[in-house]
Amino acid sequence: MDPKGQPTEAQTVSKVVKTDAQWQAQLNPEQYRIARNKGTERAFCGLFNDNKKQGVYTCLCCDLPLFSSLAKFDSGTGWPSFFQPFAAENVHNEVDLSHGMRRVEILCARCDAHLGHMFEDGPRPTGLRYCLNSESLTFQQI
């Protein structure tokens, strides 16, 4: 990411691998529950749900740029929502069969932090809704 929050040429970065004890030392209990144990914050309570500032949302665990404010929209769901990632290679999707549902889980490609879920009911141009937990993110204002 350049100083103006724009993607730069793709770079290869090392995978971040830590023990549970190291993650627990880095994160507060709620952040650990959500980012490392696939939890979910309550709707309409997250710090970034109503954030209207221009900038980039990065991974709380490893600082990888994940989503731009330019792709953020109000989904009415109570979680920050985006129609596309900052760079497709920065997120990884996996099938999530928990809670009796079939969903697409969104993970940070660098450290495997749980970010939220992706749904196919978003706005144009992608038709996707990346529904995220604020507790898995940091925000860099530009």
Side-chain angles (χ1 to χ4, degrees):
M1 174 171 71
D2 71 16
K4 294 181 180 179
Q6 298 300 310
T8 59
E9 197 173 301
Q11 300 175 14
T12 302
V13 295
S14 299
K15 193 85 166 164
V16 173
V17 179
K18 296 183 180 184
T19 66
D20 278 343
Q22 289 171 314
W23 286 122
Q24 287 174 331
Q26 177 181 332
L27 306 171
N28 71 39
E30 184 69 350
Q31 293 166 337
Y32 179 81
R33 181 185 74 79
I34 293 169
R36 305 315 310 175
N37 285 329
K38 303 180 186 295
T40 301
E41 65 195 12
R42 291 189 342 240
F44 300 101
C45 294
L47 179 64
F48 299 127
N49 184 49
D50 293 323
N51 186 22
K52 307 278 191 245
K53 296 175 184 170
Q54 186 175 3
V56 176
Y57 296 83
T58 61
C59 179
L60 171 75
C61 298
C62 72
D63 293 325
L64 186 68
L66 297 171
F67 293 89
S68 168
S69 61
L70 298 175
K72 190 171 190 277
F73 69 98
D74 183 2
S75 65
T77 62
W79 289 279
S81 298
F82 302 82
F83 60 82
Q84 69 185 17
F86 184 82
E89 61 271 14
N90 289 10
V91 297
H92 173 72
N93 298 335
E94 289 188 3
V95 174
D96 176 3
L97 300 175
S98 66
H99 306 290
M101 297 179 272
R102 182 181 180 86
R103 301 181 290 176
V104 177
E105 179 185 12
I106 312 162
L107 302 165
C108 173
R110 186 173 185 209
C111 71
D112 294 325
H114 171 74
L115 305 172
H117 291 88
M118 183 185 70
F119 304 92
E120 295 181 350
D121 61 359
R124 293 181 182 179
T126 65
L128 300 175
R129 173 172 52 97
Y130 292 83
C131 192
L132 306 178
N133 292 293
S134 293
E135 290 289 345
S136 296
L137 305 171
T138 58
F139 181 72
Q140 296 179 15
Q141 189 171 351
I142 299 190

